Amino acid sequence: MAVARTRSVAVIGVAGRTVEVEADVGNGLAGIHLIGLPDTALSEARDRVRSAMVNSAYPWPDARIIVSLFPASLPKRGSQFDLAIAVAILGAAGVIPAERIAEPFFLGELGLDGRIRPVRGVLPSILGAAKHGDVTVVVPAANSAEAALVPNVKVIPVSHLRQLVEWLRRGDDEPEPRVEECAELPKPTDNLAVDLADVVGQPVARRALEVCAAGGHNLWMLGPPGTGKTMLAERLPTLLPDLELDHALEVTAIHSVAGALPPNAPMMSRPPFVGPHHTATSAAIIGGGSAIVRPGAVSLAHRGVLFLDEAPEFPRHVLDALRQPLESGRVTVSRSAGSVTFPARFMLVLAANPCPCAQAEDQGETCKCTPTIKRRYLGRLSGPLLDRIDMKVTVVRSSRRELLADRQFVETSKTVAERVLLARERAANRLTGTPWRTNAEIPSALLHSDYRPSNEAMKPMTSCLDSGTLTARGLDRVVRVAWTLADLADKDTPEEDETNAALSFWLGVKS
């Protein structure tokens, strides 16, 4: 009887923290004691581990067993520590060589029959383990494709506790099944479910989508039902380029922690699209939870699009909670046990009807809403929130001529995406040597020094600043959109045409 130790990983937010698992099998009253701030799911590991060992034909030590999770001050949550606890006990009992389990990391939940079940957060866990250099990580076979995304890590997939123990005893090659190496991103599919060509008419809104995609800007669309606001928003991701490798790993790690990773796609190579219902709570949008803090919609939309349809129907406090992540690109959720920070750099798209009854007066319908009702309805979108929206567009119903026109001449998502990619490449080349890649990310200080347009180009904004129509934050956003318009026009710097167009997008909504 001795002490054996191995390693596992605790996921805090989307970051992996190394946890050392020690097992002491010694004299005393028979039983197992788990220490190191375990939660309820982890405390139940003692029963899962015991049943898994017995049903895998390994004896349960008739002794006092103490399992310690270090660092003791770090809260441990979840069932991913089951496998590490089991091999530590087996090592301390002399069933497997203790030196064989000292270096590898073990992740996985145990079934009562010894099967090793998949767990959430494998990718961020292995990214945390990889900080220690070239390491070996044992994971459930169902998580092997996700685990193989991290380079310079030896992944050992296992499906049963007995399979793992026999491999540790032999010390030979990897047990079956072998994991396939995944050194590059999966190829994106060309057959997208939606296409911008599905949208009839709406030239202003289509142009706004192109500018938003090229610069990473936020958008507000105002118009009656049936004008295509939702269709436009759903097609915005089709205009965005594929995620870079580091961004794809970020997005995949967030969805892995949330348990929202598609089973047939271990790596998310396309920007995500998240459209929560207007009844969603602030915890669902921002992130939260009592025991385990989970990422919300703003983090699931990281590097992609967050679409709020019927935006005025969302609770006011939920909408205002978006203000901080829109500025910082991250969200911090604080609970009594500590704070967790999630990345949240997304493009926000709002859609709203002009009034509660949503009757379009320009089509001969009678709107029964008074001006006070209209103001109160749209007033749910606070001024500080709208001040963080780069572009505002009024969407009207398409005419009969537009609806019946030949649609073979309508630009497809592929055609527009090519222009977007060229514009993004121009911005990335201009921003070489900085941590930013799109115009929407440029900080205010740099925007008014190195990237300030000429005085001639700034003229359209001076009167708006004097009248108070344009705020300081609004000025920054107009300049950023002007840079994006210049990139789309293949110009080296914004001119008066671009600043005029950017200002018209800022003042575009007529409620």
Side-chain angles (χ1 to χ4, degrees):
M1 301 295 183
V3 175
R5 58 179 54 87
T6 187
R7 297 189 289 182
S8 188
V9 182
V11 178
I12 309 298
V14 289
R17 293 278 302 274
T18 299
V19 173
E20 189 173 282
V21 181
E22 296 178 306
D24 176 25
V25 178
N27 297 326
L29 186 64
I32 178 172
H33 305 278
L34 203 60
I35 58 177
L37 290 183
D39 70 343
T40 303
L42 183 50
S43 297
E44 294 172 348
R46 57 171 66 92
D47 300 316
R48 291 193 299 270
V49 170
R50 177 172 182 148
S51 296
M53 287 175 57
V54 171
N55 291 323
S56 299
Y58 298 112
W60 180 258
D62 188 18
R64 183 174 64 95
I65 305 171
I66 298 179
V67 178
S68 174
L69 306 176
F70 175 83
S73 59
L74 180 70
K76 322 297 188 308
R77 300 183 174 93
S79 57
Q80 69 269 22
F81 299 98
D82 288 6
L83 197 57
I85 293 172
V87 297
I89 293 175
L90 289 168
V95 178
I96 55 179
E99 63 274 9
R100 289 273 293 153
I101 64 173
E103 292 301 321
F105 289 80
F106 294 88
L107 298 168
E109 177 183 332
L110 285 172
L112 299 183
D113 58 354
R115 285 182 295 173
I116 301 176
R117 304 179 186 275
V119 293
R120 293 181 175 183
V122 166
L123 180 57
S125 297
I126 297 183
L127 288 171
K131 297 176 182 177
H132 296 270
D134 295 337
V135 296
T136 299
V137 183
V138 178
V139 301
N143 293 126
S144 60
E146 179 184 349
L149 297 172
V150 183
N152 303 322
V153 172
K154 184 179 181 182
V155 177
I156 308 295
V158 289
S159 57
H160 198 279
L161 180 61
R162 187 168 188 82
Q163 174 194 17
L164 173 62
V165 172
E166 294 306 313
W167 171 68
L168 291 171
R169 281 176 164 177
R170 294 192 310 267
D172 55 6
D173 293 335
E174 304 168 16
E176 295 292 336
R178 285 182 176 272
V179 64
E180 297 291 335
E181 292 294 330
C182 186
E184 59 184 19
L185 289 171
K187 295 180 180 179
T189 177
D190 293 330
N191 299 322
L192 298 173
V194 295
D195 195 282
L196 192 60
D198 302 333
V199 181
V200 179
Q202 308 300 347
V204 176
R206 290 171 62 96
R207 176 61 172 172
L209 281 191
E210 181 177 346
V211 176
C212 287
H217 305 292
N218 303 318
L219 174 66
W220 178 29
M221 293 182 289
L222 179 70
T227 53
K229 301 187 295 297
T230 302
M231 289 184 64
L232 287 162
E234 289 174 345
R235 283 146 183 79
L236 178 55
T238 66
L239 310 183
L240 300 174
D242 296 335
L243 296 172
E244 299 176 3
L245 179 58
D246 55 341
H247 292 169
L249 288 174
E250 266 186 333
V251 173
T252 304
I254 296 170
H255 285 251
S256 177
V257 169
L261 197 62
N264 58 344
M267 174 77 87
M268 296 187 63
S269 60
R270 292 292 304 159
F273 177 85
V274 181
H277 193 261
H278 63 260
T279 57
T281 64
S282 58
I285 300 295
I286 303 300
S290 55
I292 300 177
V293 178
R294 299 293 186 194
V298 296
S299 297
L300 294 175
H302 181 59
R303 304 293 178 186
V305 179
L306 175 65
F307 174 50
L308 302 185
D309 198 6
E310 306 294 345
E313 300 294 340
F314 282 80
R316 177 73 176 263
H317 69 278
V318 172
L319 293 172
D320 286 339
L322 297 172
R323 287 151 53 178
Q324 184 262 340
L326 281 174
E327 289 292 325
S328 63
R330 61 182 181 274
V331 60
T332 300
V333 181
S334 298
R335 293 294 183 267
S336 58
S339 299
V340 177
T341 299
F342 295 106
R345 187 166 295 282
F346 56 92
M347 297 167 57
L348 177 64
V349 179
L350 302 176
N353 295 321
C355 61
C357 76
Q359 300 295 327
E361 294 181 345
D362 59 345
Q363 298 295 321
E365 299 173 356
T366 303
C367 175
K368 301 178 177 61
C369 299
T370 64
T372 302
I373 293 176
K374 292 181 179 180
R375 279 197 306 271
R376 186 182 299 120
Y377 181 72
L378 292 179
R380 298 176 188 176
L381 303 176
S382 66
L385 174 63
L386 294 181
D387 208 28
R388 289 166 169 82
I389 304 299
D390 307 67
M391 306 176 66
K392 306 175 180 71
V393 175
T394 300
V395 184
V396 298
R397 290 178 177 173
S398 300
S399 65
R400 182 181 63 179
R401 182 176 182 178
E402 290 174 325
L403 292 172
L404 300 179
D406 190 349
R407 302 188 184 185
Q408 64 175 333
F409 301 108
V410 180
E411 284 190 322
T412 64
S413 291
K414 184 177 180 180
T415 301
V416 179
E418 291 173 355
R419 296 199 298 266
V420 168
L421 182 60
L422 291 175
R424 285 210 171 203
E425 288 176 351
R426 286 181 61 86
N429 291 334
R430 185 173 63 251
L431 297 170
T432 300
T434 71
W436 309 291
R437 289 295 175 268
T438 60
N439 294 317
E441 299 174 349
I442 303 175
S444 178
L446 200 63
L447 201 63
H448 294 287
S449 57
D450 298 351
Y451 298 103
R452 184 181 180 87
S454 65
N455 293 333
E456 187 72 20
M458 294 288 289
K459 280 184 178 180
M461 291 171 276
T462 55
S463 60
C464 293
L465 284 171
D466 293 338
S467 64
T469 308
L470 193 63
T471 64
R473 184 184 288 113
L475 174 64
D476 292 348
R477 297 191 177 275
V478 171
V479 174
R480 292 187 183 107
V481 173
W483 271 108
T484 301
L485 290 168
D487 290 333
L488 287 169
D490 198 15
K491 295 183 178 179
D492 293 331
T493 184
E495 298 177 359
E496 191 171 355
D497 289 342
E498 283 70 43
T499 54
N500 264 319
L503 189 60
S504 66
F505 274 126
W506 171 263
L507 304 172
V509 165
K510 301 299 182 184
S511 58

